[in-house]
Each structure stands twice: as structure tokens, then as C-alpha cells.
Amino acid sequence: GVYAFDLDGKQLWHASVGTDTKYWGVGPSPILYKDFVIVNASTESQSIVALNKATGKQVWTAKGVIESWNTPVLVKTPAGATELAVGSEPLMMGFDPDTGKELWRAKTYSWYVCPSLAVHEGILYGLQHTICVAVKSGGRGDVTVSHVQWKKNFGAVVASPLFHDGHLFWAWNGTANCVNVKDG
């Protein structure tokens, strides 16, 4: 579940986001957005859940997030809107963070997803086992053809990429990796 405490350690609230458990447990961090605490509850309920940060009451749930151990990210689209994105088997998905409505999905992955997405100027960069991919935010529906900028056959199981100065960086299996974000 999700717990909120004050700075003196007093529990303010507790909320369940599901009851399932899988493999090695839960790993994503919650994020804050406006008055929400947003949690990737893929392991517990195959969903993303938004809770009211003051009360812990559920505000919305977005279903269909499976085999996902990464922390959701917020991205400003090229049009200036804010979207919530996450990697999920076999998709990268975008949601409206105010309502939980799925906005878009791109078929990008082939297995479970642990690395969190990196974001820069409306582009989401993801890793998964043997995949490195760039997807433009701001689409609607299936954006596999229209918004996947590039996809390469290398990646990482757990390491999340870091964007810096036009490049993605990550370390995996004793190797430091650097990719030009323009073409992968």
C-alpha cells in the first residue's frame, strides 16, 4: 500500500492500490502532481493509481499497465500539455495526469520493463533488456508508426537512462553506454 506520514513520523493515511504480488515485489517510486500522489501499481493491480495527497482517497485508476516496475514520468508535449508516461509490457503509454485517461500507446517493448523513462523536449527515451527507443509525446491512440522516432536492439534490464547534452547515458553489465538521441 501507500502511506503518508507527517515530519514527526505520525501516520496521516494509508491506501491500498491492490493486493497482488509478483516475482520480486514492488519497486517504482510515487510521484507528486498537483494534489495527487501517483503510483505505478502494476504489480498490485495492473494499473496506475492517483491518490489525493491530503486524504489518500483514490482519485482515478488507469488499467492495463502490466509487467512494469518503473516510476512514471511527467512530460510536456510539443503543444505544451502535460502527460504522464510509463513503460509497460509491451508498450510505452501516455495518460492524462488529471483524469487517468489513456491518451496514446506505442508498441516498443518485448518483455517486462524496469528502467524509468528519460525525458527531454517532449521526447521519451526508454530502455528494456535489448531495446532502446525514443517516442514523441502528444499523440492519440496507437502511435507506434507516427511517434516512435527510432528503436535500437540494445538496452538494459534495470538501469534507467539519463539525458545530458543530446545523449543518453546508462551503465549496464560493467559497461558505460552513450547514445546520440537524434538517431539512436
Side-chain angles (χ1 to χ4, degrees):
V2 181
Y3 293 82
F5 295 88
D6 68 16
L7 294 177
D8 294 321
K10 178 185 169 204
Q11 182 179 319
L12 302 174
W13 53 260
H14 165 248
S16 174
V17 293
T19 57
D20 292 344
T21 58
K22 200 171 217 177
Y23 310 123
W24 45 84
V26 180
S29 299
I31 65 168
L32 297 176
Y33 172 75
K34 295 183 180 177
D35 291 330
F36 303 152
V37 175
I38 299 175
V39 179
N40 179 348
S42 172
T43 300
E44 300 93 332
S45 60
Q46 295 188 348
S47 60
I48 303 278
V49 177
L51 306 169
N52 179 290
K53 70 181 180 183
T55 66
K57 300 290 184 208
Q58 188 172 306
V59 179
W60 57 255
T61 300
K63 295 287 189 185
V65 180
I66 60 169
E67 300 289 316
S68 175
W69 281 267
N70 55 94
T71 299
V73 297
L74 295 167
V75 57
K76 284 279 188 199
T77 69
T82 299
E83 293 179 351
L84 179 76
V86 68
S88 172
E89 184 184 323
L91 309 164
M92 189 181 294
M93 304 169 77
F95 299 91
D96 179 335
D98 291 303
T99 66
K101 177 185 176 193
E102 183 181 313
L103 301 172
W104 56 265
R105 58 180 44 217
K107 293 175 186 147
T108 51
Y109 301 122
S110 62
W111 205 9
Y112 69 88
V113 185
C114 290
S116 295
L117 303 171
V119 180
H120 183 72
E121 294 184 353
I123 306 293
L124 298 145
Y125 302 96
L127 295 175
Q128 181 258 334
H129 298 275
T130 59
I131 295 170
C132 184
V133 63
V135 178
K136 184 169 67 170
S137 63
R140 295 296 179 265
D142 184 343
V143 299
T144 305
V145 173
S146 61
H147 283 64
V148 173
Q149 306 294 288
W150 49 259
K151 184 175 175 180
K152 302 297 179 179
N153 292 323
F154 51 81
V157 175
V158 178
S160 295
L162 173 71
F163 178 93
H164 177 70
D165 197 24
H167 296 85
L168 287 183
F169 297 90
W170 72 92
W172 179 246
N173 275 348
T175 302
N177 297 274
C178 176
V179 173
N180 184 321
V181 297
K182 288 183 178 159
D183 60 10

PDB file of all heavy atoms in Angstrom, residues 146-182:
ATOM      1  N   SER A 146       3.543   6.574 -36.038  1.00  0.00           N
ATOM      2  CA  SER A 146       3.666   8.030 -36.165  1.00  0.00           C
ATOM      3  C   SER A 146       4.620   8.694 -35.174  1.00  0.00           C
ATOM      4  O   SER A 146       5.188   9.741 -35.483  1.00  0.00           O
ATOM      5  CB  SER A 146       2.286   8.678 -36.014  1.00  0.00           C
ATOM      6  OG  SER A 146       1.746   8.400 -34.736  1.00  0.00           O
ATOM      7  N   HIS A 147       4.817   8.111 -33.977  1.00  0.00           N
ATOM      8  CA  HIS A 147       5.572   8.824 -32.944  1.00  0.00           C
ATOM      9  C   HIS A 147       6.851   8.129 -32.470  1.00  0.00           C
ATOM     10  O   HIS A 147       7.619   8.730 -31.724  1.00  0.00           O
ATOM     11  CB  HIS A 147       4.664   9.108 -31.751  1.00  0.00           C
ATOM     12  CG  HIS A 147       3.734  10.238 -31.983  1.00  0.00           C
ATOM     13  ND1 HIS A 147       2.754  10.211 -32.946  1.00  0.00           N
ATOM     14  CD2 HIS A 147       3.615  11.441 -31.373  1.00  0.00           C
ATOM     15  CE1 HIS A 147       2.079  11.351 -32.922  1.00  0.00           C
ATOM     16  NE2 HIS A 147       2.586  12.109 -31.974  1.00  0.00           N
ATOM     17  N   VAL A 148       7.080   6.878 -32.851  1.00  0.00           N
ATOM     18  CA  VAL A 148       8.348   6.241 -32.500  1.00  0.00           C
ATOM     19  C   VAL A 148       9.416   6.842 -33.406  1.00  0.00           C
ATOM     20  O   VAL A 148       9.356   6.695 -34.626  1.00  0.00           O
ATOM     21  CB  VAL A 148       8.286   4.702 -32.634  1.00  0.00           C
ATOM     22  CG1 VAL A 148       9.671   4.094 -32.420  1.00  0.00           C
ATOM     23  CG2 VAL A 148       7.287   4.119 -31.642  1.00  0.00           C
ATOM     24  N   GLN A 149      10.349   7.563 -32.792  1.00  0.00           N
ATOM     25  CA  GLN A 149      11.387   8.266 -33.542  1.00  0.00           C
ATOM     26  C   GLN A 149      12.478   7.316 -34.032  1.00  0.00           C
ATOM     27  O   GLN A 149      12.973   7.460 -35.133  1.00  0.00           O
ATOM     28  CB  GLN A 149      12.021   9.358 -32.672  1.00  0.00           C
ATOM     29  CG  GLN A 149      11.008  10.339 -32.077  1.00  0.00           C
ATOM     30  CD  GLN A 149      10.330  11.172 -33.135  1.00  0.00           C
ATOM     31  OE1 GLN A 149      10.938  12.059 -33.724  1.00  0.00           O
ATOM     32  NE2 GLN A 149       9.074  10.887 -33.396  1.00  0.00           N
ATOM     33  N   TRP A 150      12.872   6.392 -33.166  1.00  0.00           N
ATOM     34  CA  TRP A 150      13.829   5.346 -33.517  1.00  0.00           C
ATOM     35  C   TRP A 150      13.777   4.244 -32.458  1.00  0.00           C
ATOM     36  O   TRP A 150      13.291   4.462 -31.362  1.00  0.00           O
ATOM     37  CB  TRP A 150      15.253   5.875 -33.700  1.00  0.00           C
ATOM     38  CG  TRP A 150      15.785   6.757 -32.599  1.00  0.00           C
ATOM     39  CD1 TRP A 150      15.856   8.120 -32.614  1.00  0.00           C
ATOM     40  CD2 TRP A 150      16.332   6.342 -31.339  1.00  0.00           C
ATOM     41  NE1 TRP A 150      16.397   8.578 -31.430  1.00  0.00           N
ATOM     42  CE2 TRP A 150      16.712   7.509 -30.638  1.00  0.00           C
ATOM     43  CE3 TRP A 150      16.544   5.118 -30.731  1.00  0.00           C
ATOM     44  CZ2 TRP A 150      17.285   7.472 -29.375  1.00  0.00           C
ATOM     45  CZ3 TRP A 150      17.117   5.078 -29.460  1.00  0.00           C
ATOM     46  CH2 TRP A 150      17.480   6.247 -28.805  1.00  0.00           C
ATOM     47  N   LYS A 151      14.253   3.065 -32.847  1.00  0.00           N
ATOM     48  CA  LYS A 151      14.287   1.915 -31.952  1.00  0.00           C
ATOM     49  C   LYS A 151      15.512   1.095 -32.285  1.00  0.00           C
ATOM     50  O   LYS A 151      15.745   0.777 -33.454  1.00  0.00           O
ATOM     51  CB  LYS A 151      13.008   1.080 -32.127  1.00  0.00           C
ATOM     52  CG  LYS A 151      12.882  -0.080 -31.186  1.00  0.00           C
ATOM     53  CD  LYS A 151      11.509  -0.746 -31.378  1.00  0.00           C
ATOM     54  CE  LYS A 151      11.375  -1.989 -30.558  1.00  0.00           C
ATOM     55  NZ  LYS A 151      10.062  -2.619 -30.739  1.00  0.00           N
ATOM     56  N   LYS A 152      16.315   0.763 -31.287  1.00  0.00           N
ATOM     57  CA  LYS A 152      17.566   0.020 -31.482  1.00  0.00           C
ATOM     58  C   LYS A 152      17.548  -1.267 -30.679  1.00  0.00           C
ATOM     59  O   LYS A 152      16.834  -1.395 -29.686  1.00  0.00           O
ATOM     60  CB  LYS A 152      18.765   0.878 -31.062  1.00  0.00           C
ATOM     61  CG  LYS A 152      18.877   2.199 -31.814  1.00  0.00           C
ATOM     62  CD  LYS A 152      19.103   1.987 -33.290  1.00  0.00           C
ATOM     63  CE  LYS A 152      19.177   3.304 -34.030  1.00  0.00           C
ATOM     64  NZ  LYS A 152      19.416   3.164 -35.433  1.00  0.00           N
ATOM     65  N   ASN A 153      18.365  -2.219 -31.083  1.00  0.00           N
ATOM     66  CA  ASN A 153      18.416  -3.534 -30.455  1.00  0.00           C
ATOM     67  C   ASN A 153      19.522  -3.639 -29.415  1.00  0.00           C
ATOM     68  O   ASN A 153      20.414  -4.485 -29.505  1.00  0.00           O
ATOM     69  CB  ASN A 153      18.577  -4.625 -31.517  1.00  0.00           C
ATOM     70  CG  ASN A 153      17.353  -4.745 -32.382  1.00  0.00           C
ATOM     71  OD1 ASN A 153      16.229  -4.599 -31.907  1.00  0.00           O
ATOM     72  ND2 ASN A 153      17.553  -4.987 -33.653  1.00  0.00           N
ATOM     73  N   PHE A 154      19.501  -2.754 -28.438  1.00  0.00           N
ATOM     74  CA  PHE A 154      20.359  -2.831 -27.262  1.00  0.00           C
ATOM     75  C   PHE A 154      19.646  -2.095 -26.145  1.00  0.00           C
ATOM     76  O   PHE A 154      18.767  -1.283 -26.401  1.00  0.00           O
ATOM     77  CB  PHE A 154      21.750  -2.232 -27.514  1.00  0.00           C
ATOM     78  CG  PHE A 154      21.722  -0.850 -28.119  1.00  0.00           C
ATOM     79  CD1 PHE A 154      21.508   0.284 -27.341  1.00  0.00           C
ATOM     80  CD2 PHE A 154      21.909  -0.684 -29.482  1.00  0.00           C
ATOM     81  CE1 PHE A 154      21.476   1.550 -27.911  1.00  0.00           C
ATOM     82  CE2 PHE A 154      21.889   0.579 -30.057  1.00  0.00           C
ATOM     83  CZ  PHE A 154      21.667   1.695 -29.269  1.00  0.00           C
ATOM     84  N   GLY A 155      19.975  -2.410 -24.886  1.00  0.00           N
ATOM     85  CA  GLY A 155      19.278  -1.767 -23.785  1.00  0.00           C
ATOM     86  C   GLY A 155      19.864  -2.143 -22.448  1.00  0.00           C
ATOM     87  O   GLY A 155      21.065  -2.377 -22.338  1.00  0.00           O
ATOM     88  N   ALA A 156      19.019  -2.232 -21.427  1.00  0.00           N
ATOM     89  CA  ALA A 156      19.427  -2.600 -20.076  1.00  0.00           C
ATOM     90  C   ALA A 156      18.207  -3.137 -19.342  1.00  0.00           C
ATOM     91  O   ALA A 156      17.086  -2.710 -19.595  1.00  0.00           O
ATOM     92  CB  ALA A 156      19.992  -1.384 -19.342  1.00  0.00           C
ATOM     93  N   VAL A 157      18.430  -4.049 -18.411  1.00  0.00           N
ATOM     94  CA  VAL A 157      17.321  -4.655 -17.684  1.00  0.00           C
ATOM     95  C   VAL A 157      16.811  -3.732 -16.579  1.00  0.00           C
ATOM     96  O   VAL A 157      15.621  -3.558 -16.412  1.00  0.00           O
ATOM     97  CB  VAL A 157      17.722  -6.029 -17.099  1.00  0.00           C
ATOM     98  CG1 VAL A 157      16.610  -6.605 -16.241  1.00  0.00           C
ATOM     99  CG2 VAL A 157      18.071  -6.988 -18.207  1.00  0.00           C
ATOM    100  N   VAL A 158      17.718  -3.123 -15.814  1.00  0.00           N
ATOM    101  CA  VAL A 158      17.298  -2.351 -14.655  1.00  0.00           C
ATOM    102  C   VAL A 158      17.733  -0.885 -14.715  1.00  0.00           C
ATOM    103  O   VAL A 158      17.029  -0.018 -14.247  1.00  0.00           O
ATOM    104  CB  VAL A 158      17.811  -3.001 -13.345  1.00  0.00           C
ATOM    105  CG1 VAL A 158      17.430  -2.186 -12.126  1.00  0.00           C
ATOM    106  CG2 VAL A 158      17.271  -4.423 -13.220  1.00  0.00           C
ATOM    107  N   ALA A 159      18.877  -0.590 -15.299  1.00  0.00           N
ATOM    108  CA  ALA A 159      19.421   0.772 -15.278  1.00  0.00           C
ATOM    109  C   ALA A 159      18.549   1.744 -16.070  1.00  0.00           C
ATOM    110  O   ALA A 159      18.208   1.498 -17.219  1.00  0.00           O
ATOM    111  CB  ALA A 159      20.838   0.770 -15.857  1.00  0.00           C
ATOM    112  N   SER A 160      18.189   2.866 -15.437  1.00  0.00           N
ATOM    113  CA  SER A 160      17.423   3.910 -16.118  1.00  0.00           C
ATOM    114  C   SER A 160      18.379   4.861 -16.828  1.00  0.00           C
ATOM    115  O   SER A 160      19.436   5.196 -16.293  1.00  0.00           O
ATOM    116  CB  SER A 160      16.582   4.700 -15.111  1.00  0.00           C
ATOM    117  OG  SER A 160      15.614   3.865 -14.529  1.00  0.00           O
ATOM    118  N   PRO A 161      18.020   5.325 -18.031  1.00  0.00           N
ATOM    119  CA  PRO A 161      18.900   6.233 -18.755  1.00  0.00           C
ATOM    120  C   PRO A 161      18.846   7.650 -18.189  1.00  0.00           C
ATOM    121  O   PRO A 161      17.859   8.048 -17.557  1.00  0.00           O
ATOM    122  CB  PRO A 161      18.341   6.203 -20.176  1.00  0.00           C
ATOM    123  CG  PRO A 161      16.885   5.927 -19.986  1.00  0.00           C
ATOM    124  CD  PRO A 161      16.807   5.018 -18.789  1.00  0.00           C
ATOM    125  N   LEU A 162      19.895   8.400 -18.442  1.00  0.00           N
ATOM    126  CA  LEU A 162      19.995   9.799 -18.054  1.00  0.00           C
ATOM    127  C   LEU A 162      20.244  10.608 -19.319  1.00  0.00           C
ATOM    128  O   LEU A 162      21.106  10.245 -20.127  1.00  0.00           O
ATOM    129  CB  LEU A 162      21.162   9.977 -17.085  1.00  0.00           C
ATOM    130  CG  LEU A 162      21.539  11.400 -16.693  1.00  0.00           C
ATOM    131  CD1 LEU A 162      20.461  11.975 -15.782  1.00  0.00           C
ATOM    132  CD2 LEU A 162      22.883  11.417 -16.005  1.00  0.00           C
ATOM    133  N   PHE A 163      19.491  11.690 -19.523  1.00  0.00           N
ATOM    134  CA  PHE A 163      19.689  12.573 -20.670  1.00  0.00           C
ATOM    135  C   PHE A 163      20.652  13.682 -20.277  1.00  0.00           C
ATOM    136  O   PHE A 163      20.508  14.305 -19.229  1.00  0.00           O
ATOM    137  CB  PHE A 163      18.363  13.201 -21.117  1.00  0.00           C
ATOM    138  CG  PHE A 163      18.532  14.150 -22.266  1.00  0.00           C
ATOM    139  CD1 PHE A 163      18.384  13.704 -23.564  1.00  0.00           C
ATOM    140  CD2 PHE A 163      18.871  15.476 -22.058  1.00  0.00           C
ATOM    141  CE1 PHE A 163      18.563  14.568 -24.634  1.00  0.00           C
ATOM    142  CE2 PHE A 163      19.049  16.348 -23.112  1.00  0.00           C
ATOM    143  CZ  PHE A 163      18.897  15.892 -24.406  1.00  0.00           C
ATOM    144  N   HIS A 164      21.636  13.948 -21.147  1.00  0.00           N
ATOM    145  CA  HIS A 164      22.527  15.092 -20.956  1.00  0.00           C
ATOM    146  C   HIS A 164      23.129  15.492 -22.288  1.00  0.00           C
ATOM    147  O   HIS A 164      23.717  14.667 -22.981  1.00  0.00           O
ATOM    148  CB  HIS A 164      23.649  14.777 -19.963  1.00  0.00           C
ATOM    149  CG  HIS A 164      24.613  15.912 -19.792  1.00  0.00           C
ATOM    150  ND1 HIS A 164      24.285  17.082 -19.151  1.00  0.00           N
ATOM    151  CD2 HIS A 164      25.887  16.059 -20.217  1.00  0.00           C
ATOM    152  CE1 HIS A 164      25.309  17.901 -19.173  1.00  0.00           C
ATOM    153  NE2 HIS A 164      26.301  17.309 -19.818  1.00  0.00           N
ATOM    154  N   ASP A 165      22.953  16.756 -22.636  1.00  0.00           N
ATOM    155  CA  ASP A 165      23.635  17.358 -23.784  1.00  0.00           C
ATOM    156  C   ASP A 165      23.478  16.533 -25.071  1.00  0.00           C
ATOM    157  O   ASP A 165      24.450  16.252 -25.766  1.00  0.00           O
ATOM    158  CB  ASP A 165      25.109  17.567 -23.440  1.00  0.00           C
ATOM    159  CG  ASP A 165      25.794  18.553 -24.377  1.00  0.00           C
ATOM    160  OD1 ASP A 165      25.099  19.400 -24.978  1.00  0.00           O
ATOM    161  OD2 ASP A 165      27.030  18.466 -24.519  1.00  0.00           O
ATOM    162  N   GLY A 166      22.232  16.143 -25.371  1.00  0.00           N
ATOM    163  CA  GLY A 166      21.961  15.438 -26.620  1.00  0.00           C
ATOM    164  C   GLY A 166      22.287  13.960 -26.614  1.00  0.00           C
ATOM    165  O   GLY A 166      22.288  13.322 -27.669  1.00  0.00           O
ATOM    166  N   HIS A 167      22.542  13.403 -25.448  1.00  0.00           N
ATOM    167  CA  HIS A 167      22.910  11.992 -25.341  1.00  0.00           C
ATOM    168  C   HIS A 167      22.174  11.316 -24.193  1.00  0.00           C
ATOM    169  O   HIS A 167      21.797  11.964 -23.223  1.00  0.00           O
ATOM    170  CB  HIS A 167      24.420  11.853 -25.121  1.00  0.00           C
ATOM    171  CG  HIS A 167      25.231  12.351 -26.265  1.00  0.00           C
ATOM    172  ND1 HIS A 167      25.582  13.678 -26.396  1.00  0.00           N
ATOM    173  CD2 HIS A 167      25.730  11.719 -27.350  1.00  0.00           C
ATOM    174  CE1 HIS A 167      26.288  13.844 -27.508  1.00  0.00           C
ATOM    175  NE2 HIS A 167      26.379  12.669 -28.108  1.00  0.00           N
ATOM    176  N   LEU A 168      21.985  10.003 -24.322  1.00  0.00           N
ATOM    177  CA  LEU A 168      21.501   9.167 -23.226  1.00  0.00           C
ATOM    178  C   LEU A 168      22.696   8.411 -22.675  1.00  0.00           C
ATOM    179  O   LEU A 168      23.529   7.905 -23.442  1.00  0.00           O
ATOM    180  CB  LEU A 168      20.493   8.128 -23.710  1.00  0.00           C
ATOM    181  CG  LEU A 168      19.106   8.590 -24.092  1.00  0.00           C
ATOM    182  CD1 LEU A 168      18.257   7.385 -24.479  1.00  0.00           C
ATOM    183  CD2 LEU A 168      18.441   9.332 -22.958  1.00  0.00           C
ATOM    184  N   PHE A 169      22.758   8.319 -21.359  1.00  0.00           N
ATOM    185  CA  PHE A 169      23.825   7.583 -20.692  1.00  0.00           C
ATOM    186  C   PHE A 169      23.212   6.569 -19.744  1.00  0.00           C
ATOM    187  O   PHE A 169      22.209   6.849 -19.097  1.00  0.00           O
ATOM    188  CB  PHE A 169      24.703   8.540 -19.871  1.00  0.00           C
ATOM    189  CG  PHE A 169      25.415   9.574 -20.680  1.00  0.00           C
ATOM    190  CD1 PHE A 169      24.817  10.803 -20.938  1.00  0.00           C
ATOM    191  CD2 PHE A 169      26.685   9.329 -21.187  1.00  0.00           C
ATOM    192  CE1 PHE A 169      25.479  11.771 -21.688  1.00  0.00           C
ATOM    193  CE2 PHE A 169      27.345  10.294 -21.931  1.00  0.00           C
ATOM    194  CZ  PHE A 169      26.742  11.514 -22.186  1.00  0.00           C
ATOM    195  N   TRP A 170      23.820   5.401 -19.655  1.00  0.00           N
ATOM    196  CA  TRP A 170      23.456   4.416 -18.640  1.00  0.00           C
ATOM    197  C   TRP A 170      24.595   3.418 -18.529  1.00  0.00           C
ATOM    198  O   TRP A 170      25.428   3.290 -19.424  1.00  0.00           O
ATOM    199  CB  TRP A 170      22.141   3.716 -18.957  1.00  0.00           C
ATOM    200  CG  TRP A 170      22.166   2.733 -20.093  1.00  0.00           C
ATOM    201  CD1 TRP A 170      22.400   1.386 -20.040  1.00  0.00           C
ATOM    202  CD2 TRP A 170      21.945   3.029 -21.488  1.00  0.00           C
ATOM    203  NE1 TRP A 170      22.334   0.827 -21.291  1.00  0.00           N
ATOM    204  CE2 TRP A 170      22.055   1.817 -22.199  1.00  0.00           C
ATOM    205  CE3 TRP A 170      21.670   4.189 -22.200  1.00  0.00           C
ATOM    206  CZ2 TRP A 170      21.906   1.736 -23.583  1.00  0.00           C
ATOM    207  CZ3 TRP A 170      21.516   4.111 -23.570  1.00  0.00           C
ATOM    208  CH2 TRP A 170      21.634   2.898 -24.242  1.00  0.00           C
ATOM    209  N   ALA A 171      24.631   2.727 -17.401  1.00  0.00           N
ATOM    210  CA  ALA A 171      25.630   1.681 -17.172  1.00  0.00           C
ATOM    211  C   ALA A 171      24.895   0.357 -17.049  1.00  0.00           C
ATOM    212  O   ALA A 171      23.833   0.277 -16.434  1.00  0.00           O
ATOM    213  CB  ALA A 171      26.419   1.968 -15.903  1.00  0.00           C
ATOM    214  N   TRP A 172      25.462  -0.681 -17.656  1.00  0.00           N
ATOM    215  CA  TRP A 172      24.838  -1.996 -17.599  1.00  0.00           C
ATOM    216  C   TRP A 172      25.885  -3.071 -17.857  1.00  0.00           C
ATOM    217  O   TRP A 172      26.680  -2.951 -18.785  1.00  0.00           O
ATOM    218  CB  TRP A 172      23.704  -2.094 -18.623  1.00  0.00           C
ATOM    219  CG  TRP A 172      23.043  -3.434 -18.609  1.00  0.00           C
ATOM    220  CD1 TRP A 172      23.039  -4.362 -19.605  1.00  0.00           C
ATOM    221  CD2 TRP A 172      22.321  -4.016 -17.538  1.00  0.00           C
ATOM    222  NE1 TRP A 172      22.344  -5.469 -19.216  1.00  0.00           N
ATOM    223  CE2 TRP A 172      21.895  -5.281 -17.941  1.00  0.00           C
ATOM    224  CE3 TRP A 172      21.996  -3.585 -16.257  1.00  0.00           C
ATOM    225  CZ2 TRP A 172      21.164  -6.131 -17.117  1.00  0.00           C
ATOM    226  CZ3 TRP A 172      21.266  -4.427 -15.443  1.00  0.00           C
ATOM    227  CH2 TRP A 172      20.859  -5.676 -15.882  1.00  0.00           C
ATOM    228  N   ASN A 173      25.888  -4.107 -17.046  1.00  0.00           N
ATOM    229  CA  ASN A 173      26.810  -5.238 -17.175  1.00  0.00           C
ATOM    230  C   ASN A 173      28.266  -4.798 -17.276  1.00  0.00           C
ATOM    231  O   ASN A 173      29.020  -5.302 -18.096  1.00  0.00           O
ATOM    232  CB  ASN A 173      26.444  -6.103 -18.377  1.00  0.00           C
ATOM    233  CG  ASN A 173      25.387  -7.128 -18.053  1.00  0.00           C
ATOM    234  OD1 ASN A 173      25.073  -7.353 -16.891  1.00  0.00           O
ATOM    235  ND2 ASN A 173      24.833  -7.738 -19.074  1.00  0.00           N
ATOM    236  N   GLY A 174      28.650  -3.824 -16.460  1.00  0.00           N
ATOM    237  CA  GLY A 174      30.027  -3.376 -16.426  1.00  0.00           C
ATOM    238  C   GLY A 174      30.444  -2.466 -17.569  1.00  0.00           C
ATOM    239  O   GLY A 174      31.624  -2.191 -17.750  1.00  0.00           O
ATOM    240  N   THR A 175      29.470  -1.997 -18.350  1.00  0.00           N
ATOM    241  CA  THR A 175      29.773  -1.139 -19.494  1.00  0.00           C
ATOM    242  C   THR A 175      28.998   0.164 -19.390  1.00  0.00           C
ATOM    243  O   THR A 175      27.792   0.155 -19.127  1.00  0.00           O
ATOM    244  CB  THR A 175      29.384  -1.841 -20.816  1.00  0.00           C
ATOM    245  OG1 THR A 175      30.088  -3.082 -20.903  1.00  0.00           O
ATOM    246  CG2 THR A 175      29.714  -0.981 -22.026  1.00  0.00           C
ATOM    247  N   ALA A 176      29.679   1.281 -19.610  1.00  0.00           N
ATOM    248  CA  ALA A 176      29.011   2.582 -19.705  1.00  0.00           C
ATOM    249  C   ALA A 176      28.566   2.751 -21.141  1.00  0.00           C
ATOM    250  O   ALA A 176      29.329   2.480 -22.076  1.00  0.00           O
ATOM    251  CB  ALA A 176      29.953   3.700 -19.299  1.00  0.00           C
ATOM    252  N   ASN A 177      27.329   3.184 -21.336  1.00  0.00           N
ATOM    253  CA  ASN A 177      26.762   3.339 -22.672  1.00  0.00           C
ATOM    254  C   ASN A 177      26.404   4.804 -22.930  1.00  0.00           C
ATOM    255  O   ASN A 177      25.943   5.502 -22.024  1.00  0.00           O
ATOM    256  CB  ASN A 177      25.493   2.489 -22.805  1.00  0.00           C
ATOM    257  CG  ASN A 177      25.782   1.025 -22.650  1.00  0.00           C
ATOM    258  OD1 ASN A 177      26.135   0.362 -23.583  1.00  0.00           O
ATOM    259  ND2 ASN A 177      25.623   0.514 -21.429  1.00  0.00           N
ATOM    260  N   CYS A 178      26.575   5.240 -24.170  1.00  0.00           N
ATOM    261  CA  CYS A 178      26.217   6.589 -24.573  1.00  0.00           C
ATOM    262  C   CYS A 178      25.599   6.510 -25.963  1.00  0.00           C
ATOM    263  O   CYS A 178      26.164   5.902 -26.877  1.00  0.00           O
ATOM    264  CB  CYS A 178      27.460   7.473 -24.608  1.00  0.00           C
ATOM    265  SG  CYS A 178      27.126   9.143 -25.221  1.00  0.00           S
ATOM    266  N   VAL A 179      24.418   7.134 -26.111  1.00  0.00           N
ATOM    267  CA  VAL A 179      23.686   7.087 -27.373  1.00  0.00           C
ATOM    268  C   VAL A 179      23.325   8.521 -27.775  1.00  0.00           C
ATOM    269  O   VAL A 179      22.830   9.289 -26.959  1.00  0.00           O
ATOM    270  CB  VAL A 179      22.401   6.245 -27.230  1.00  0.00           C
ATOM    271  CG1 VAL A 179      21.555   6.318 -28.465  1.00  0.00           C
ATOM    272  CG2 VAL A 179      22.747   4.811 -26.897  1.00  0.00           C
ATOM    273  N   ASN A 180      23.529   8.860 -29.035  1.00  0.00           N
ATOM    274  CA  ASN A 180      23.086  10.132 -29.577  1.00  0.00           C
ATOM    275  C   ASN A 180      21.570  10.071 -29.713  1.00  0.00           C
ATOM    276  O   ASN A 180      21.041   9.180 -30.391  1.00  0.00           O
ATOM    277  CB  ASN A 180      23.742  10.379 -30.936  1.00  0.00           C
ATOM    278  CG  ASN A 180      23.405  11.738 -31.507  1.00  0.00           C
ATOM    279  OD1 ASN A 180      22.300  12.217 -31.406  1.00  0.00           O
ATOM    280  ND2 ASN A 180      24.414  12.344 -32.122  1.00  0.00           N
ATOM    281  N   VAL A 181      20.843  11.018 -29.104  1.00  0.00           N
ATOM    282  CA  VAL A 181      19.383  10.944 -29.100  1.00  0.00           C
ATOM    283  C   VAL A 181      18.765  11.291 -30.465  1.00  0.00           C
ATOM    284  O   VAL A 181      17.587  11.011 -30.695  1.00  0.00           O
ATOM    285  CB  VAL A 181      18.749  11.820 -28.005  1.00  0.00           C
ATOM    286  CG1 VAL A 181      19.175  11.338 -26.636  1.00  0.00           C
ATOM    287  CG2 VAL A 181      19.043  13.289 -28.213  1.00  0.00           C
ATOM    288  N   LYS A 182      19.514  11.866 -31.367  1.00  0.00           N
ATOM    289  CA  LYS A 182      18.966  12.217 -32.678  1.00  0.00           C
ATOM    290  C   LYS A 182      18.620  10.979 -33.506  1.00  0.00           C
ATOM    291  O   LYS A 182      17.643  10.963 -34.243  1.00  0.00           O
ATOM    292  CB  LYS A 182      19.930  13.109 -33.448  1.00  0.00           C
ATOM    293  CG  LYS A 182      19.983  14.502 -32.874  1.00  0.00           C
ATOM    294  CD  LYS A 182      20.875  15.402 -33.681  1.00  0.00           C
ATOM    295  CE  LYS A 182      20.812  16.774 -33.054  1.00  0.00           C
ATOM    296  NZ  LYS A 182      21.934  17.604 -33.376  1.00  0.00           N
TER     297      LYS A 182
END
